[in-house]
Amino acid sequence: AVLWDTYDKRRGNLFSHRAVGQLAAEIGNAQQLGMTTVLAGSLSLADLPQVRSLNPDFVAVRSAVCFGMRTDCIEQTRVARFARALAEG
């Protein structure tokens, strides 16, 4: 599997560090090689159009589904909202 993520969450999300075109090429190459692709990196509901356009195998989130800060508890309703929004695209 290949995971695209950010190290320092204070410096922006994944799309602050990688252009969509660059990600598309990298994801496409990985998938052609039979690798599973995963996008992460402070992704939010607002990022879903870009995420969907890249067609990763998985999307990993934490901040978007936690109550308050990313170190707080995961909130079931936020998980459901994010999953619905991702699927509806």
Side-chain angles (χ1 to χ4, degrees), residues 50-70:
Q50 291 175 301
V51 169
R52 280 192 298 272
S53 75
L54 294 168
N55 199 31
D57 296 299
F58 294 96
V59 177
V61 294
R62 183 166 42 179
S63 299
V65 297
C66 284
F67 180 79
M69 300 184 63
R70 67 190 304 269

Side-chain angles (χ1 to χ4, degrees), residues 9-49:
K9 307 303 182 197
R10 296 170 297 170
R11 294 182 183 239
N13 72 3
L14 180 65
F15 298 111
S16 299
H17 299 280
R18 279 277 208 283
V20 172
Q22 182 180 8
L23 284 166
E26 293 171 354
I27 290 168
N29 289 338
Q31 289 175 334
Q32 283 182 345
L33 294 171
M35 302 178 87
T36 300
T37 56
V38 185
L39 292 184
S42 294
L43 300 174
S44 69
L45 286 171
D47 298 313
L48 289 184

Side-chain angles (χ1 to χ4, degrees), residues 75-88:
E75 189 176 318
Q76 184 177 2
T77 57
R78 290 177 189 222
V79 172
R81 183 180 328 129
F82 199 94
R84 261 192 321 274
L86 185 59
E88 288 173 355

